[in-house]
Structures are given as C-alpha cells and as structure tokens.
Amino acid sequence: MVRTMLTAAFAAAVTLTPVQAQDLGDVVGGIARQYLQQEQDRAAYAQAQSADTRAAYQTYLRQFPNGAYAAQARDRIQRLGGGTPATAPANPTNTDTAGLTREQRLQIQRQLNGLGYSTNGADGNFGPGTRRAIGLWQRDRNYAQTGSLTTAQANEILRGTGGTAATPSAPAPSVGAAGAEADLGLGREQRRAVQAGLTRRGFDTRGVDGIFGQGTRNAIAAWQRANDQEATGYLTAAQYDRLIAR
C-alpha cells in the first residue's frame, strides 16, 4: 500500500510546478519516514518472535512501547510467565546532558552511529532516536536500559572517540577517528559489507550483523596493523573502499 502511494506520488511530481513539487516532496518524505518506522517496528517484532523469550519481547517493547505489535508482545510475555516491563518515559529528564558540551553530545551521537546504534541524526540534541540508541548500547553492555547516560557511561563513549571526559567545564573534544568514521554515514548493509570483507581476508568480526561491536573493532584494528596503518579500529573512507572491494 505504502509503496503504491510512493510510486504514484513520485509520478505526479513530474508534471507539477516547482512549488507544487516541493509540497508533494514533503508529503512523500513523510510517507517514506512513516514506512521506514513501520518496517523497523515489524523487523524488531519478527526478531522477538524468532527468539520467543521474555527478554526478547521486553527488548521490543523498550524500542517500540507503542508499536503496532506492542499488545501482542505484552500478551506473549504474560503467557511466558512474566510481567510486562516498565517502559522508559516518553520524555526522560535530560539530567545526563547537564555536564556535556554540545560537541560532546555530538561526539556521543557519532560514536553510537559508528557502533551501529542509529540515533536518527547527529545534531547535539538527545531526542527519541538518541535515547533509543543509548538504551540499546546499555543493553548490549549489561547496563540498566534507561536511555539516559550516567557520567561514567558518557565518559566510556567519549573515550572511544578520543574525546574529553564529561565534566561541566570540559573543553570540546576533537572529532577523532570515530567521529570521522561516523561522518561516512555507513548504513547497516554497508557495515555488513565491511564485516564480510574483513572475514574474507581472515579477520574474524564475530559475526556479520551490521553492528560494529568489539569483535568488529578488533578485526578492523588487526587489518589496519597488517596493512601498516594506524590501528584505530575505525575506518577512513579509503579503508572502507578497500574492504568492500572483492
């Protein structure tokens, strides 16, 4: 249905005046964003169904507390013998940003994107996309999945970018290798291609899942050392091009 609407809208745009086309473009963009969100919701629930555990359905609900499948997920949790988890508030108190400069918040978003946790943009504002990314990052490190960073967690992320620790008077950090990689804007399929390229060359990434976890970072660093380059664990544009080439 959505694909049909998009196709019709694009076809109509060809015959419209520039102003009309711009208006229609805004509509098409909105439809595309809605479709993408629906697809992410569907994929997350399918993943939960595949695992069919309380933890998997709880993870889905944390990502999509009001998703299309939220009722089914809660019902399945009950059937599996567990209560529905408390979900994070829709507008969490941003106490975790009080001691961060805008550049540090940008660094955190870039690092999360570089690790495969999409923040839906890097603008220095911790909106719902960033909160969701933080929650997933916390989950994968066995932290409480709150969507808000403690000072120690903010520092952990910043140190991964070569940034400065989070303190009220801290100077803005340099972009560093992680920020440069984040600026490449690699999508999940592109990250999978990198992991596949490393694996073909004998550098084990511990999976080809499109998420740059510690296994992938170690593999990138090992490949960089083997090619007489600085072993940062983060890719430059030239290194990305080399790795995806067959």
Side-chain angles (χ1 to χ4, degrees):
M1 175 65 178
V2 175
R3 290 192 181 95
T4 302
M5 292 171 64
L6 285 171
T7 302
F10 281 123
V14 175
T15 61
L16 295 177
T17 66
V19 173
Q20 291 173 319
Q22 182 177 0
D23 292 341
L24 182 58
D26 292 339
V27 173
V28 171
I31 293 172
R33 285 190 295 273
Q34 182 180 7
Y35 176 68
L36 177 60
Q37 185 174 11
Q38 290 171 348
E39 286 297 293
Q40 290 172 335
D41 186 349
R42 183 198 59 75
Y45 186 69
Q47 185 175 5
Q49 282 185 308
S50 178
D52 198 32
T53 63
R54 281 181 293 171
Y57 289 111
Q58 287 168 348
T59 296
Y60 166 78
L61 286 173
R62 291 189 187 102
Q63 295 179 65
F64 298 96
N66 300 308
Y69 309 95
Q72 293 96 311
R74 292 188 179 95
D75 179 69
R76 189 60 187 146
I77 289 171
Q78 292 289 344
R79 291 176 182 274
L80 290 169
T84 303
T87 56
N91 295 299
T93 303
N94 294 340
T95 55
D96 55 336
T97 64
L100 297 171
T101 66
R102 183 174 183 277
E103 283 301 316
Q104 286 172 322
R105 294 194 297 272
L106 281 167
Q107 281 290 77
I108 287 171
Q109 290 174 316
R110 287 168 176 162
Q111 173 72 342
L112 288 169
N113 284 317
L115 290 171
Y117 304 103
S118 174
T119 62
N120 292 337
D123 57 5
N125 296 315
F126 282 12
T130 299
R131 296 293 173 189
R132 183 169 57 251
I134 289 172
L136 295 175
W137 177 87
Q138 291 169 324
R139 178 202 65 188
D140 291 344
R141 285 154 183 78
N142 295 320
Y143 296 135
Q145 194 173 341
T146 64
S148 296
L149 293 170
T150 65
T151 300
Q153 290 169 357
N155 286 337
E156 181 178 341
I157 296 174
L158 286 169
R159 290 190 186 105
T161 70
T164 309
T167 60
S169 59
S174 60
V175 171
E181 181 190 279
D183 287 341
L184 298 178
L186 301 179
R188 189 151 189 170
E189 288 303 317
Q190 291 170 306
R191 292 193 294 270
R192 282 177 177 158
V194 168
Q195 290 172 321
L198 286 164
T199 302
R200 285 196 304 272
R201 291 166 173 80
F203 299 93
D204 184 12
T205 61
R206 299 183 183 178
V208 180
D209 56 6
I211 297 175
F212 280 10
Q214 195 58 50
T216 300
R217 294 298 173 195
N218 291 341
I220 291 173
W223 176 78
Q224 288 168 329
R225 281 192 295 271
N227 287 273
D228 298 321
Q229 300 182 47
E230 183 182 2
T232 64
Y234 294 88
L235 295 172
T236 65
Q239 290 168 350
Y240 166 76
D241 288 339
R242 285 184 61 185
L243 281 172
I244 65 171
R246 291 183 177 273

Coordinates of all heavy atoms in Angstrom, one line a residue, residues 16-90:
L16 N 4.2 18.5 -12.0 CA 3.8 19.6 -11.2 C 4.7 20.8 -11.3 O 5.9 20.7 -11.7 CB 3.7 19.2 -9.7 CG 2.7 18.2 -9.3 CD1 2.8 17.8 -7.9 CD2 1.3 18.7 -9.6
T17 N 4.3 22.0 -10.9 CA 5.1 23.2 -10.9 C 6.2 23.0 -9.8 O 6.0 22.2 -8.9 CB 4.3 24.4 -10.6 OG1 3.8 24.3 -9.3 CG2 3.2 24.6 -11.6
P18 N 7.3 23.8 -9.8 CA 8.3 23.6 -8.7 C 7.7 23.7 -7.3 O 8.1 23.0 -6.4 CB 9.3 24.7 -9.0 CG 9.2 24.9 -10.5 CD 7.7 24.7 -10.8
V19 N 6.8 24.7 -7.1 CA 6.3 24.9 -5.8 C 5.4 23.7 -5.4 O 5.5 23.1 -4.3 CB 5.4 26.2 -5.7 CG1 4.7 26.3 -4.4 CG2 6.3 27.4 -5.9
Q20 N 4.6 23.2 -6.3 CA 3.7 22.1 -6.1 C 4.6 20.8 -5.8 O 4.3 20.0 -4.9 CB 2.8 21.8 -7.2 CG 1.7 22.9 -7.3 CD 0.9 22.7 -8.6 OE1 1.4 22.4 -9.6 NE2 -0.4 22.9 -8.5
A21 N 5.6 20.7 -6.6 CA 6.5 19.5 -6.5 C 7.2 19.5 -5.1 O 7.4 18.5 -4.5 CB 7.5 19.5 -7.6
Q22 N 7.6 20.7 -4.6 CA 8.2 20.8 -3.3 C 7.2 20.4 -2.2 O 7.6 19.6 -1.3 CB 8.7 22.2 -3.0 CG 9.4 22.4 -1.7 CD 9.9 23.8 -1.5 OE1 9.8 24.6 -2.3 NE2 10.6 24.0 -0.4
D23 N 6.0 20.8 -2.3 CA 5.0 20.4 -1.3 C 4.7 18.9 -1.4 O 4.6 18.3 -0.3 CB 3.6 21.1 -1.6 CG 3.7 22.6 -1.4 OD1 4.7 23.1 -0.6 OD2 2.9 23.4 -1.9
L24 N 4.6 18.4 -2.6 CA 4.4 16.9 -2.7 C 5.7 16.2 -2.2 O 5.5 15.1 -1.6 CB 4.2 16.6 -4.2 CG 3.9 15.1 -4.5 CD1 2.7 14.6 -3.7 CD2 3.7 14.9 -5.9
G25 N 6.9 16.8 -2.4 CA 8.1 16.1 -1.9 C 8.0 16.0 -0.4 O 8.5 15.0 0.2
D26 N 7.5 17.0 0.3 CA 7.4 17.0 1.7 C 6.4 15.8 2.1 O 6.7 15.1 3.1 CB 6.8 18.3 2.3 CG 7.8 19.4 2.1 OD1 9.0 19.1 2.0 OD2 7.4 20.6 2.1
V27 N 5.3 15.7 1.4 CA 4.4 14.6 1.7 C 5.0 13.3 1.5 O 4.9 12.3 2.3 CB 3.1 14.7 0.8 CG1 2.2 13.5 1.0 CG2 2.4 16.0 1.1
V28 N 5.8 13.1 0.4 CA 6.4 11.9 0.1 C 7.4 11.5 1.1 O 7.6 10.4 1.6 CB 7.1 11.9 -1.3 CG1 8.0 10.7 -1.6 CG2 6.0 12.0 -2.4
G29 N 8.2 12.6 1.6 CA 9.2 12.3 2.6 C 8.6 11.8 3.9 O 9.1 10.9 4.5
G30 N 7.4 12.4 4.2 CA 6.7 12.0 5.4 C 6.2 10.6 5.3 O 6.3 9.8 6.3
I31 N 5.7 10.2 4.1 CA 5.3 8.8 3.9 C 6.4 7.9 4.0 O 6.3 6.8 4.6 CB 4.6 8.7 2.5 CG1 3.3 9.5 2.5 CG2 4.3 7.2 2.2 CD1 2.6 9.6 1.2
A32 N 7.6 8.2 3.4 CA 8.7 7.4 3.5 C 9.2 7.2 4.9 O 9.6 6.0 5.3 CB 9.9 8.0 2.6
R33 N 9.2 8.2 5.7 CA 9.7 8.1 7.1 C 8.7 7.2 7.9 O 9.1 6.4 8.7 CB 9.8 9.5 7.7 CG 11.0 10.3 7.3 CD 11.2 11.5 8.2 NE 10.1 12.5 8.0 CZ 10.1 13.4 7.1 NH1 11.1 13.5 6.2 NH2 9.1 14.3 7.0
Q34 N 7.4 7.4 7.6 CA 6.4 6.5 8.3 C 6.6 5.1 7.9 O 6.5 4.2 8.7 CB 5.0 7.0 7.9 CG 3.9 6.2 8.6 CD 2.5 6.7 8.3 OE1 2.4 7.5 7.4 NE2 1.5 6.2 8.9
Y35 N 6.9 4.8 6.6 CA 7.1 3.5 6.1 C 8.3 2.8 6.7 O 8.3 1.7 7.2 CB 7.2 3.5 4.6 CG 7.5 2.1 4.0 CD1 6.5 1.1 4.1 CD2 8.7 1.9 3.4 CE1 6.8 -0.2 3.5 CE2 9.0 0.6 2.9 CZ 8.1 -0.4 3.0 OH 8.3 -1.6 2.4
L36 N 9.4 3.6 6.8 CA 10.6 3.1 7.4 C 10.4 2.8 8.9 O 10.9 1.7 9.4 CB 11.7 4.2 7.3 CG 13.1 3.8 8.0 CD1 13.7 2.6 7.4 CD2 14.1 5.0 7.8
Q37 N 9.7 3.6 9.6 CA 9.4 3.3 11.0 C 8.6 2.0 11.2 O 8.8 1.2 12.0 CB 8.7 4.5 11.7 CG 8.5 4.3 13.2 CD 7.9 5.5 13.8 OE1 7.4 6.5 13.1 NE2 7.8 5.6 15.1
Q38 N 7.6 1.9 10.3 CA 6.8 0.7 10.3 C 7.6 -0.6 10.0 O 7.4 -1.6 10.7 CB 5.6 0.8 9.3 CG 4.6 1.8 9.6 CD 3.6 2.0 8.5 OE1 3.8 1.6 7.4 NE2 2.5 2.7 8.8
E39 N 8.5 -0.5 9.1 CA 9.4 -1.6 8.7 C 10.3 -1.9 9.9 O 10.6 -3.1 10.2 CB 10.2 -1.3 7.5 CG 9.4 -1.3 6.2 CD 8.9 -2.7 5.9 OE1 9.7 -3.6 5.7 OE2 7.7 -2.9 6.0
Q40 N 10.9 -0.9 10.6 CA 11.7 -1.1 11.8 C 10.9 -1.8 12.9 O 11.4 -2.7 13.5 CB 12.3 0.2 12.2 CG 13.3 0.8 11.3 CD 13.8 2.2 11.7 OE1 13.0 2.9 12.4 NE2 15.0 2.6 11.3
D41 N 9.7 -1.4 13.1 CA 8.8 -2.0 14.1 C 8.6 -3.4 13.7 O 8.7 -4.3 14.6 CB 7.5 -1.2 14.1 CG 6.5 -1.6 15.2 OD1 6.8 -2.7 15.8 OD2 5.6 -0.9 15.4
R42 N 8.2 -3.7 12.5 CA 7.9 -5.1 12.0 C 9.2 -6.0 12.2 O 9.1 -7.1 12.7 CB 7.5 -5.1 10.6 CG 7.1 -6.4 10.0 CD 7.1 -6.5 8.5 NE 8.4 -6.1 8.0 CZ 9.4 -7.0 8.0 NH1 9.3 -8.2 8.5 NH2 10.6 -6.6 7.5
A43 N 10.4 -5.5 11.8 CA 11.6 -6.3 11.9 C 11.9 -6.6 13.4 O 12.4 -7.7 13.7 CB 12.7 -5.5 11.2
A44 N 11.8 -5.6 14.2 CA 12.1 -5.8 15.6 C 11.1 -6.8 16.3 O 11.6 -7.7 17.0 CB 12.0 -4.5 16.4
Y45 N 9.9 -6.8 15.9 CA 8.9 -7.8 16.4 C 9.2 -9.2 15.9 O 9.1 -10.2 16.6 CB 7.5 -7.4 16.2 CG 6.5 -8.3 16.8 CD1 6.4 -8.3 18.2 CD2 5.7 -9.2 16.1 CE1 5.5 -9.2 18.9 CE2 4.8 -10.0 16.7 CZ 4.7 -10.0 18.1 OH 3.8 -10.9 18.7
A46 N 9.6 -9.2 14.6 CA 9.9 -10.5 14.0 C 11.1 -11.1 14.7 O 11.2 -12.3 14.9 CB 10.2 -10.3 12.5
Q47 N 12.1 -10.3 15.1 CA 13.3 -10.8 15.8 C 12.9 -11.3 17.2 O 13.4 -12.3 17.6 CB 14.3 -9.6 15.9 CG 15.6 -10.1 16.6 CD 16.6 -9.0 16.6 OE1 16.3 -7.8 16.2 NE2 17.8 -9.3 17.0
A48 N 12.0 -10.6 17.8 CA 11.5 -11.1 19.1 C 10.8 -12.4 19.0 O 10.9 -13.3 19.8 CB 10.6 -10.0 19.8
Q49 N 9.9 -12.5 17.9 CA 9.2 -13.8 17.7 C 10.2 -14.9 17.5 O 9.9 -16.0 17.9 CB 8.3 -13.6 16.5 CG 7.0 -12.9 16.8 CD 6.0 -12.9 15.7 OE1 6.4 -12.5 14.5 NE2 4.8 -13.3 15.9
S50 N 11.2 -14.6 16.7 CA 12.2 -15.7 16.4 C 12.9 -16.2 17.7 O 13.0 -17.4 17.8 CB 13.3 -15.1 15.5 OG 14.3 -16.1 15.2
A51 N 13.2 -15.3 18.6 CA 13.8 -15.8 19.9 C 12.7 -16.4 20.8 O 13.0 -17.3 21.5 CB 14.5 -14.6 20.6
D52 N 11.5 -15.7 20.8 CA 10.4 -16.2 21.6 C 10.7 -16.3 23.1 O 10.4 -17.4 23.7 CB 9.8 -17.5 21.1 CG 8.4 -17.7 21.6 OD1 7.6 -16.7 21.8 OD2 8.0 -18.9 21.7
T53 N 11.4 -15.3 23.7 CA 11.7 -15.3 25.1 C 11.2 -14.0 25.7 O 10.9 -13.0 25.0 CB 13.2 -15.4 25.3 OG1 13.8 -14.2 24.8 CG2 13.8 -16.6 24.7
R54 N 11.0 -14.0 27.0 CA 10.5 -12.8 27.7 C 11.5 -11.7 27.4 O 11.0 -10.5 27.1 CB 10.4 -13.0 29.2 CG 9.1 -13.8 29.6 CD 9.0 -14.0 31.1 NE 10.1 -14.9 31.6 CZ 10.4 -15.1 32.8 NH1 9.7 -14.4 33.8 NH2 11.3 -15.9 33.2
A55 N 12.8 -11.9 27.5 CA 13.8 -10.9 27.3 C 13.7 -10.3 25.9 O 13.8 -9.0 25.7 CB 15.2 -11.4 27.5
A56 N 13.4 -11.1 24.9 CA 13.3 -10.6 23.5 C 12.1 -9.7 23.4 O 12.2 -8.6 22.7 CB 13.2 -11.8 22.5
Y57 N 10.9 -10.1 23.9 CA 9.8 -9.3 23.8 C 9.9 -8.0 24.6 O 9.4 -6.9 24.3 CB 8.5 -10.1 24.3 CG 8.1 -11.1 23.3 CD1 8.3 -12.5 23.6 CD2 7.6 -10.8 22.0 CE1 7.9 -13.5 22.7 CE2 7.3 -11.8 21.1 CZ 7.4 -13.1 21.5 OH 7.1 -14.1 20.5
Q58 N 10.6 -8.1 25.8 CA 10.8 -6.9 26.6 C 11.7 -5.9 25.8 O 11.5 -4.7 25.9 CB 11.5 -7.3 27.9 CG 10.5 -8.0 28.9 CD 11.2 -8.6 30.0 OE1 12.5 -8.8 30.0 NE2 10.5 -9.0 31.0
T59 N 12.7 -6.4 25.1 CA 13.6 -5.6 24.3 C 12.8 -4.9 23.2 O 12.9 -3.7 23.0 CB 14.7 -6.4 23.7 OG1 15.5 -6.9 24.7 CG2 15.5 -5.5 22.7
Y60 N 11.8 -5.6 22.6 CA 11.0 -5.0 21.6 C 10.2 -3.9 22.2 O 10.1 -2.8 21.6 CB 10.1 -6.0 21.0 CG 8.9 -5.4 20.2 CD1 9.1 -4.9 18.9 CD2 7.7 -5.3 20.7 CE1 8.1 -4.3 18.2 CE2 6.6 -4.7 20.0 CZ 6.9 -4.2 18.7 OH 5.9 -3.6 18.0
L61 N 9.6 -4.1 23.3 CA 8.7 -3.1 24.0 C 9.5 -1.8 24.4 O 9.0 -0.7 24.4 CB 8.0 -3.7 25.2 CG 6.9 -4.6 24.8 CD1 6.3 -5.3 26.1 CD2 5.7 -3.9 24.1
R62 N 10.8 -2.0 24.8 CA 11.6 -0.9 25.1 C 11.9 0.0 23.9 O 11.9 1.2 24.0 CB 12.9 -1.3 25.7 CG 12.8 -1.9 27.1 CD 14.1 -2.2 27.8 NE 14.0 -2.9 29.0 CZ 14.2 -4.2 29.2 NH1 14.6 -4.9 28.2 NH2 14.1 -4.8 30.4
Q63 N 12.0 -0.7 22.7 CA 12.3 0.1 21.5 C 11.0 0.7 20.9 O 11.0 1.8 20.4 CB 12.9 -0.9 20.4 CG 14.2 -1.4 20.8 CD 14.7 -2.3 19.7 OE1 15.0 -1.9 18.6 NE2 14.9 -3.6 20.0
F64 N 9.9 0.0 21.0 CA 8.6 0.4 20.5 C 7.5 0.2 21.5 O 6.6 -0.7 21.3 CB 8.3 -0.4 19.2 CG 9.3 -0.2 18.1 CD1 10.3 -1.2 17.9 CD2 9.3 0.9 17.2 CE1 11.3 -1.0 17.0 CE2 10.2 1.0 16.2 CZ 11.2 0.1 16.1
P65 N 7.5 1.0 22.6 CA 6.5 0.8 23.6 C 5.0 1.0 23.1 O 4.1 0.5 23.6 CB 6.8 1.9 24.6 CG 7.6 2.9 23.9 CD 8.4 2.1 22.8
N66 N 4.9 1.8 22.0 CA 3.6 2.0 21.4 C 3.5 1.4 20.0 O 2.8 1.9 19.1 CB 3.2 3.5 21.4 CG 3.2 4.1 22.8 OD1 2.5 3.5 23.7 ND2 3.9 5.2 23.0
G67 N 4.3 0.4 19.7 CA 4.4 -0.1 18.4 C 3.2 -0.9 18.0 O 2.3 -1.2 18.8
A68 N 3.2 -1.3 16.7 CA 2.0 -2.0 16.1 C 1.8 -3.3 16.8 O 0.7 -3.9 16.8 CB 2.2 -2.1 14.6
Y69 N 2.9 -3.9 17.4 CA 2.8 -5.2 17.9 C 2.9 -5.2 19.4 O 3.2 -6.3 20.0 CB 3.9 -6.1 17.3 CG 3.9 -6.1 15.8 CD1 4.7 -5.2 15.1 CD2 3.0 -6.9 15.0 CE1 4.7 -5.1 13.7 CE2 3.0 -6.8 13.6 CZ 3.8 -5.9 13.0 OH 3.8 -5.9 11.6
A70 N 2.8 -4.0 20.0 CA 3.0 -3.9 21.5 C 2.1 -4.8 22.3 O 2.5 -5.5 23.2 CB 2.9 -2.5 21.9
A71 N 0.8 -4.8 21.9 CA -0.2 -5.6 22.6 C 0.2 -7.1 22.5 O 0.1 -7.8 23.5 CB -1.6 -5.3 22.1
Q72 N 0.6 -7.5 21.3 CA 0.9 -9.0 21.2 C 2.1 -9.3 22.0 O 2.2 -10.4 22.6 CB 1.2 -9.3 19.7 CG 0.0 -9.2 18.8 CD -0.1 -7.8 18.1 OE1 0.0 -6.8 18.7 NE2 -0.3 -7.9 16.8
A73 N 3.1 -8.4 22.0 CA 4.3 -8.6 22.8 C 4.0 -8.7 24.3 O 4.5 -9.6 25.0 CB 5.3 -7.5 22.6
R74 N 3.2 -7.9 24.8 CA 2.8 -7.9 26.2 C 2.0 -9.2 26.5 O 2.2 -9.8 27.6 CB 2.0 -6.7 26.6 CG 2.7 -5.4 26.6 CD 1.9 -4.2 27.1 NE 2.7 -3.0 27.1 CZ 2.7 -2.1 26.1 NH1 1.9 -2.3 25.1 NH2 3.5 -1.0 26.1
D75 N 1.2 -9.6 25.6 CA 0.4 -10.8 25.8 C 1.3 -12.0 25.8 O 1.2 -12.9 26.7 CB -0.6 -11.0 24.7 CG -1.4 -12.3 24.8 OD1 -2.2 -12.4 25.8 OD2 -1.2 -13.2 24.0
R76 N 2.3 -12.0 24.9 CA 3.3 -13.1 24.9 C 4.1 -13.2 26.2 O 4.4 -14.3 26.6 CB 4.2 -13.0 23.6 CG 5.0 -14.2 23.4 CD 4.2 -15.4 23.1 NE 5.0 -16.7 23.0 CZ 4.6 -17.8 23.4 NH1 3.4 -18.0 24.0 NH2 5.4 -18.9 23.3
I77 N 4.5 -12.0 26.7 CA 5.3 -12.0 27.9 C 4.5 -12.6 29.1 O 5.0 -13.4 29.9 CB 5.7 -10.6 28.3 CG1 6.8 -10.1 27.3 CG2 6.2 -10.5 29.7 CD1 7.1 -8.6 27.4
Q78 N 3.2 -12.3 29.1 CA 2.3 -12.9 30.1 C 2.2 -14.4 30.0 O 2.3 -15.1 31.0 CB 0.9 -12.2 30.0 CG 0.8 -10.8 30.4 CD 1.0 -10.5 31.9 OE1 0.9 -11.5 32.7 NE2 1.3 -9.3 32.3
R79 N 2.1 -14.8 28.8 CA 2.0 -16.3 28.5 C 3.3 -17.0 28.8 O 3.2 -18.2 29.2 CB 1.6 -16.5 27.1 CG 0.2 -16.1 26.7 CD -0.1 -16.3 25.2 NE -1.4 -15.8 24.9 CZ -2.5 -16.6 25.0 NH1 -2.4 -17.8 25.4 NH2 -3.7 -16.1 24.6
L80 N 4.4 -16.3 28.7 CA 5.7 -16.9 29.1 C 6.0 -16.8 30.6 O 7.1 -17.2 31.0 CB 6.8 -16.2 28.3 CG 6.8 -16.5 26.8 CD1 7.8 -15.6 26.0 CD2 7.2 -18.0 26.5
G81 N 5.0 -16.3 31.3 CA 5.2 -16.3 32.8 C 5.8 -15.1 33.4 O 6.4 -15.2 34.5
G82 N 5.8 -13.9 32.7 CA 6.5 -12.8 33.3 C 5.6 -11.5 33.1 O 4.8 -11.5 32.2
G83 N 5.8 -10.6 34.0 CA 5.1 -9.3 33.9 C 5.6 -8.4 32.8 O 6.8 -8.6 32.4
T84 N 4.8 -7.5 32.3 CA 5.3 -6.6 31.3 C 6.2 -5.6 31.9 O 6.0 -5.0 33.0 CB 4.1 -5.8 30.7 OG1 3.2 -6.7 30.2 CG2 4.5 -4.8 29.6
P85 N 7.4 -5.4 31.3 CA 8.4 -4.5 31.9 C 8.0 -3.0 31.9 O 7.2 -2.6 31.0 CB 9.6 -4.7 31.0 CG 9.0 -5.0 29.7 CD 7.8 -5.8 30.0
A86 N 8.4 -2.3 32.9 CA 8.2 -0.9 32.8 C 9.0 -0.3 31.7 O 10.1 -0.5 31.5 CB 8.6 -0.3 34.2
T87 N 8.3 0.6 30.9 CA 9.0 1.2 29.8 C 9.5 2.5 30.2 O 9.0 3.2 31.1 CB 8.0 1.4 28.6 OG1 6.9 2.1 29.1 CG2 7.5 0.0 28.1
A88 N 10.5 3.0 29.5 CA 11.1 4.3 29.8 C 10.1 5.4 29.5 O 9.3 5.2 28.6 CB 12.4 4.5 28.9
P89 N 10.1 6.5 30.2 CA 9.2 7.5 30.0 C 9.4 8.1 28.6 O 10.5 8.1 28.1 CB 9.6 8.6 31.1 CG 10.9 8.2 31.5 CD 11.1 6.8 31.3
A90 N 8.3 8.6 28.0 CA 8.4 9.1 26.6 C 9.3 10.3 26.6 O 10.0 10.5 25.6 CB 7.0 9.5 26.2

